[in-house]
Amino acid sequence: MAETSRELGRELRKAREEAGLSLSTFAERVRFSKGYLSKVERGQRDVTLGIARAYDRELDAGGALIALVAGRPSRRSKRNAVAMTVGLPPPSPRFVGRARELERIDAFVRGEHDTNACVLSGMAGAGKTALALRGAWNATELFPDGCILVEFGDHSPGVAEVSADDVLDALLRFFGIPARDIPAHRTARAGLYQSRIRRKRLLLVCDDVGTAGQITPLLPAGSGSKLLVTSRNRLNALDDATRLPVEVLPSAEAASLFRAIGGEHARTAADSVVGRVVARCGRLPLALRVAAARFQSSVTWSLDDFDERLADENARLSVLDDGERSVAAAFNLSCQALTGAALRLFGLLALHPARQVEIGSVAALAGTDLVRARRLVDQLSDAHLVTYASADRVTTHDLLRTFARNQVLPCMTEDDRRAATVRLLDHNLLLAAASDAHLDPHRYRTPLALPDPLGAARRFPDHASALAWLHREWPSLVKLCRLAAESGLHEHCWQLASMLRQYFFLTKQWEHWISTQLDAVSAARASGDRQKLAIAVSNLGTAHFDRGDLPVAVDYFQEALGLFRDAEDEHGITTATSHLAWTALYLGEHENALHDLRSVLVSYRRASNTRNAAIALRGIALAETELARYADAVRHAEMARAEFEALDLRLDVAMAVNCTAWAHFHAGNHAEARLRYEEAAALAEKCGSRYETARALTGLGNVHAATGNDAGAAERWAEADATCGPLDPVVVGEARVRAAT
């Protein structure tokens, strides 16, 4: 066995170098900081059993490296196990912000809270220690018997945690009690400790406490002394403690901290580039300090260059490592206390493309039920690895997501990651289908033969709940659609895009509508399914049509028509013909549009497709209005409305009433037009369509203008703009009339 830490470190370095691994690469693999491992290999830090196991495992040494230290006692004996400083080390000279937190610490130490312990908890690197020391320094005059810093976290992998017995022993020695008089039993030690502090005013700063049990015996029985505690965990078992969450810094304070440490070039840099750097550091104080120090020490980087390095998410954590401090190493320590199931979930959360994840998706990723998922999330939340955004939504800090993706997720098998991705997409596809069924209940959908252990298909009791969920979740669904495409899960991608179509039509989010349909088109091409390709191309054309990109829409509709003809799909052919007829209507080809829409109407009625037949009737009414056939237009618009009401399609009803109002306006029936537009505005608002509401309000403004009420017109037009912004005159006749007024 090697006899010294220097010799042990030399053996580890030799084994690593023989394996052809650089220290940087090896540090990333074993999830320890490069600076710490460098000290181990140079003999400046003790070679613990945990370190030996990490080297042995990664270098496939078959136990030989573990044998070097097995049974060798740590340099750290019980007597010197506690790092205790009488008095306080100087606070950071570049402490920034935290005014609210300092006020709460001041209130605590002055006795405004009926507790003797205040727990500052937060994610690794949030600046808890710096905050506690600053708060303690501000309060030194309140504690004439002194301030003591007790460091509970050695941060050396493999070293046992400091126990309450260790701390009580050190404190009793500080009080002048000879070692022979210190009781061996913890209860007796705690009693002696309480007797010695009963009449004292003492402040104990307990830094980086791992568990409540480490400090429970230290809680003062009287009111004179106080414990200021920092921890990466919430220490829930300290029932009566004052709790102070330590979050990341606000943007302005984060920028100030970076400028203060980063030197002259950081202080004079443009706000925009400093803002980007700060954002890439996640406004985490440790990351900001490391980044600023690295930038300040470089003579070649501009801040733009440094920002570009940080922009690479895969390399970001390596940039945030200065050899002595490492954001990744700090995160790794937070992970060490997790159960295997919680650590697995932490890694799997990185598969979700969104920062904020609904608890159902969490359960799907873990492959468990909601109760078990909540328990695991509670563990992660207590360790400040995730945050509850609400009772059912979980957020992970960007740097923690990067850490999980780069250093935790790769420890799982490809099969495990793939299965979790499929479960996640299955669950969200079922939810999207269930919500879309409320928005567009009569549209044909490909049946979903998917497992539903979480009851997603029964999630929404009504239209309102479905719409509320989509309002909240659509950004995640867009990202999941892209994830499915990138993962080669073509069916999931195509289906998700299809389920989002009606929502994006309702909300007029054309950019996201188009992006998801482009993903769907790519997925359909990759799968070789020409039927689904035709549907995706048609949907893509509809998005462009709805946005007013008529020439682009024509190209897609013609492509879709060709694909449907090749597939001999009569329904698809009719739909593509209908889309082309609508496009002709807005391109000014009114007679052609009317002819084709009548043909489409016959086909839909023959197929008993009532909903699409009613849409064709609405198009016919618009074409007849342009051709000054107002009575026919009103009649056909009212027929369409009746069909939509029978189907309980609220948005379509509002559109049909707007169509009726449009025909009356052109016929010069202003009173009737005003009544219809008012009705349409109310119906559209009730079903959640700001677009149709704005169309009705614009129409009302036009009625006012036509009847000489310029003030009323201006008021209604302003209301329309505030509701939805300017409408496109290419596809909204009311906007065209307003522009010409």
Side-chain angles (χ1 to χ4, degrees):
M1 178 188 291
E3 294 299 325
T4 68
S5 288
R6 187 179 300 277
E7 291 170 345
L8 289 170
R10 189 182 301 120
E11 291 293 330
L12 296 180
R13 183 177 69 248
K14 178 182 176 182
R16 173 180 59 76
E17 290 175 345
E18 287 178 350
L21 294 175
S22 69
L23 187 59
S24 296
T25 300
F26 186 76
E28 289 183 5
R29 289 190 180 184
V30 297
R31 305 206 316 252
F32 298 140
S33 78
K34 176 183 174 183
Y36 175 77
L37 294 183
S38 176
K39 290 179 180 179
V40 168
E41 292 187 356
R42 296 198 306 269
Q44 296 174 354
R45 296 300 292 267
D46 201 17
V47 180
T48 66
L49 189 58
I51 282 290
R53 284 175 177 149
Y55 271 77
D56 194 272
R57 181 183 65 252
E58 193 61 37
L59 300 178
D60 197 22
L65 297 179
I66 296 175
L68 292 175
V69 296
R72 176 177 177 268
S74 171
R75 288 188 313 193
R76 193 173 176 185
S77 67
K78 183 174 181 180
R79 179 160 296 187
N80 63 11
V82 179
M84 193 173 80
T85 303
V86 179
L88 297 172
S92 170
R94 295 191 174 108
F95 186 88
V96 171
R98 302 294 195 190
R100 183 186 63 83
E101 291 89 344
L102 288 171
E103 287 178 4
R104 290 195 60 189
I105 292 174
D106 184 67
F108 163 72
V109 295
R110 292 183 183 278
E112 295 180 19
H113 301 285
D114 189 23
T115 60
N116 287 336
C118 178
V119 177
L120 284 64
S121 66
M123 65 183 288
K128 301 178 291 294
T129 301
L131 174 60
L133 288 175
R134 178 56 62 101
W137 269 102
N138 291 347
T140 52
E141 78 282 357
L142 299 175
F143 299 96
D145 294 308
C147 301
I148 298 177
L149 172 65
V150 184
E151 298 179 62
F152 284 74
D154 181 290
H155 296 265
S156 299
V159 173
E161 70 174 23
V162 176
S163 71
D165 284 338
D166 296 330
V167 181
L168 286 169
D169 181 83
L171 287 170
L172 290 172
R173 290 171 189 274
F174 165 70
F175 293 146
I177 299 174
R180 64 179 180 274
D181 295 333
I182 296 176
H185 195 275
R186 176 184 296 183
T187 302
R189 281 190 187 187
L192 183 57
Y193 160 77
Q194 293 291 346
S195 71
R196 289 305 176 102
I197 68 167
R198 185 168 295 121
R199 287 181 292 275
K200 293 183 182 293
R201 292 190 61 81
L202 187 70
L203 177 63
L204 292 181
V205 180
C206 301
D207 187 43
D208 206 5
V209 174
T211 64
Q214 290 177 288
I215 60 170
T216 300
L218 308 181
L219 296 171
S223 60
S225 296
K226 302 286 184 182
L227 261 63
L228 197 56
V229 182
T230 73
S231 179
R232 298 160 191 245
N233 300 311
R234 298 190 190 279
L235 305 183
N236 294 321
L238 295 178
D239 300 334
D240 297 326
T242 295
R243 302 196 175 275
L244 178 56
V246 182
E247 310 290 350
V248 297
L249 289 169
S251 296
E253 293 180 7
S256 295
L257 178 60
F258 182 82
R259 290 184 190 276
I261 299 173
E264 182 62 25
H265 291 300
R267 286 190 288 273
T268 59
D271 290 343
S272 57
V273 67
V274 171
R276 289 199 302 272
V277 169
V278 163
R280 299 194 203 285
C281 291
R283 297 183 282 121
L284 186 70
L286 174 60
L288 291 164
R289 288 180 176 276
V290 172
R294 290 204 65 183
F295 175 69
Q296 195 273 338
S297 65
S298 171
V299 295
T300 58
W301 286 339
S302 69
L303 194 54
D304 282 309
D305 294 332
F306 190 61
D307 174 56
E308 188 173 341
R309 292 198 63 183
L310 285 171
D312 182 355
E313 286 192 14
N314 292 324
R316 188 173 299 165
L317 289 176
S318 65
V319 177
L320 298 176
D321 183 340
D322 61 9
E324 296 290 331
R325 298 169 297 181
S326 166
V327 172
F331 291 165
N332 182 55
L333 286 169
S334 295
C335 291
Q336 287 182 1
L338 295 176
T339 64
L343 182 61
R344 173 177 175 270
L345 176 58
F346 178 56
L348 290 176
L349 282 171
L351 290 173
H352 200 295
R355 290 181 67 247
Q356 198 172 103
V357 183
E358 196 176 38
I359 193 68
S361 289
V362 175
L365 281 167
T368 189
D369 56 58
L370 290 172
V371 173
R372 175 64 173 161
R374 291 183 191 279
R375 290 199 194 111
L376 294 174
V377 171
D378 286 344
Q379 290 185 40
L380 297 178
S381 176
D382 287 344
H384 290 281
L385 292 168
V386 301
T387 302
Y388 275 108
S390 68
D392 292 315
R393 300 176 68 76
V394 178
T395 299
T396 308
H397 187 276
D398 287 343
L399 290 179
L400 281 168
R401 280 173 53 79
T402 300
F403 173 79
R405 182 171 57 251
N406 293 351
Q407 300 199 33
V408 181
L409 199 57
C411 298
M412 303 176 200
T413 67
E414 175 61 31
D415 287 345
D416 195 9
R417 298 196 298 268
R418 181 76 169 185
T421 300
V422 171
R423 289 194 303 269
L424 172 66
L425 292 170
D426 282 351
H427 174 68
N428 281 274
L429 182 52
L430 286 164
L431 286 170
S435 59
D436 183 54
H438 283 285
L439 268 63
D440 194 357
H442 299 282
R443 180 164 62 91
Y444 173 78
R445 298 170 183 81
T446 303
L448 297 177
L450 298 175
D452 189 12
L454 300 173
R458 304 181 299 277
R459 172 74 175 272
F460 309 109
D462 51 35
H463 181 277
S465 62
L467 187 58
W469 183 81
L470 283 165
H471 282 328
R472 187 174 62 249
E473 290 297 319
W474 72 261
S476 288
L477 295 174
V478 169
K479 292 177 180 178
L480 288 171
C481 188
R482 176 58 52 85
L483 173 65
E486 292 172 347
S487 303
L489 296 167
H490 305 308
E491 181 71 11
H492 289 82
C493 174
W494 184 87
Q495 290 277 19
L496 266 176
S498 178
M499 299 308 173
L500 285 168
R501 174 182 179 269
Q502 184 64 17
Y503 177 74
F504 288 142
F505 174 75
L506 171 67
T507 57
K508 304 304 178 186
Q509 296 189 70
W510 297 299
E511 179 181 349
H512 300 297
W513 187 356
I514 289 170
S515 72
T516 52
Q517 291 303 328
L518 284 171
D519 285 339
V521 167
S522 297
R525 290 191 197 281
S527 68
D529 191 323
R530 292 180 64 81
Q531 177 75 15
K532 290 177 179 173
L533 175 60
I535 295 172
V537 169
S538 180
N539 287 339
L540 187 55
T542 303
H544 281 284
F545 167 83
D546 201 54
R547 191 169 69 171
D549 301 333
L550 301 183
V552 177
V554 168
D555 289 341
Y556 282 123
F557 290 148
Q558 288 178 339
E559 180 183 356
L561 180 60
L563 290 166
F564 282 128
R565 282 173 173 163
D566 290 345
E568 298 182 349
D569 182 343
E570 290 299 326
H571 172 76
I573 292 170
T574 301
T575 298
T577 303
S578 175
H579 290 330
L580 286 167
W582 276 89
T583 310
L585 171 65
Y586 289 116
L587 286 172
E589 302 168 10
H590 304 133
E591 288 286 2
N592 291 339
L594 182 59
H595 175 273
D596 289 345
L597 284 168
R598 285 171 172 166
S599 174
V600 164
L601 177 62
V602 172
S603 296
Y604 280 139
R605 282 179 169 166
R606 186 187 307 123
S608 299
N609 191 331
T610 307
R611 189 270 179 101
N612 283 9
I615 292 174
L617 276 172
R618 183 161 50 83
I620 288 170
L622 290 173
E624 289 170 336
T625 299
E626 297 296 336
L627 294 169
R629 303 173 188 176
Y630 303 126
D632 289 340
V634 169
R635 180 168 56 86
H636 287 131
E638 291 292 350
M639 288 173 62
R641 173 183 181 165
E643 295 284 1
F644 291 135
E645 285 179 337
L647 296 170
D648 195 28
L649 295 172
R650 303 172 192 178
L651 174 59
D652 288 288
V653 171
M655 296 171 71
V657 176
N658 263 329
C659 181
T660 303
W662 174 244
H664 280 301
F665 175 79
H666 272 276
N669 300 326
H670 295 141
E672 189 63 29
R674 186 189 62 174
L675 290 173
R676 296 301 189 187
Y677 276 131
E678 288 174 346
E679 182 184 10
L683 290 167
E685 185 174 356
K686 188 174 181 180
C687 72
S689 174
R690 293 185 297 170
Y691 187 85
E692 288 300 317
T693 302
R695 178 184 171 190
L697 291 170
T698 302
L700 283 170
N702 295 341
V703 171
H704 285 305
T707 55
N709 184 359
D710 293 340
E715 182 179 349
R716 288 304 191 200
W717 289 336
E719 191 177 350
D721 291 343
T723 300
C724 191
L727 301 176
D728 187 350
V730 173
V731 291
V732 181
E734 287 83 358
R736 188 166 63 248
V737 169
R738 173 184 170 180
T741 301

